């Protein structure tokens, strides 16, 4: 996502808490995550600072969540990758906070 920032800008992100989508079933040998679409949605709490040189442009703390994570579509490159729902959550936050991707 850093490539979407304007030249000379730096985004620092501190991840404070992560609760992955789904839930781990107790007793499973391989920590299988079961996703039911109930109260098991992904949640991420982060603190960020956007800077240009030594000037702070934007900063904040966000509590991200996607209660409808099982609905909608995932981009092809995310479907088979790690943590697809969390990745989509972060990409949506980034676009909402810093603007749509540059062509």
């Amino acid at each position: 996502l850093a490539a979407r920032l304007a030249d000379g800008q730096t985004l620092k992100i501190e991840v404070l808490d992560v609760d992955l989508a789904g839930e781990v079933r107790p007793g499973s040998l391989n920590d299988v995550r079961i996703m039911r679409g109930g109260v098991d949605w992904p949640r991420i709490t982060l603190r960020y600072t956007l800077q240009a040189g030594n000037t702070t442009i934007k900063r904040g703390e966000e509590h991200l969540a996607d209660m409808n994570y099982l609905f909608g579509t995932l981009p092809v490159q995310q479907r088979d990758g790690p943590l697809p729902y969390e990745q989509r959550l972060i990409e949506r936050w980034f676009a909402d906070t810093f603007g749509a991707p540059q062509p």
Side-chain angles (χ1 to χ4, degrees):
L1 296 175
R4 298 181 187 172
L5 295 172
D7 289 340
Q9 290 184 344
T10 303
L11 178 62
K12 296 177 183 180
I13 297 177
E14 181 182 359
V15 178
L16 304 174
D17 189 36
V18 175
D19 186 2
L20 300 177
E23 58 187 342
V24 176
R25 296 302 302 222
S28 62
L29 296 175
N30 296 322
D31 291 333
V32 175
R33 225 167 234 294
I34 306 297
M35 297 179 200
R36 298 177 190 258
V39 293
D40 60 348
W41 57 80
R43 296 178 195 99
I44 301 172
T45 303
L46 56 84
R47 186 177 300 135
Y48 70 93
T49 304
L50 178 64
Q51 295 181 303
N54 291 327
T55 304
T56 297
I57 299 170
K58 195 173 197 176
R59 72 171 56 194
E61 186 169 311
E62 300 286 341
H63 303 279
L64 314 178
D66 184 1
M67 294 185 285
N68 295 314
Y69 75 98
L70 288 179
F71 301 101
T73 58
L74 289 169
V76 174
Q77 65 272 23
Q78 286 181 2
R79 277 186 221 142
D80 296 328
L83 307 175
Y85 302 108
E86 292 76 9
Q87 185 176 347
R88 180 176 62 189
L89 180 61
I90 290 170
E91 287 183 1
R92 286 178 177 169
W93 165 77
F94 187 93
D96 290 346
T97 306
F98 305 109
Q102 301 300 315

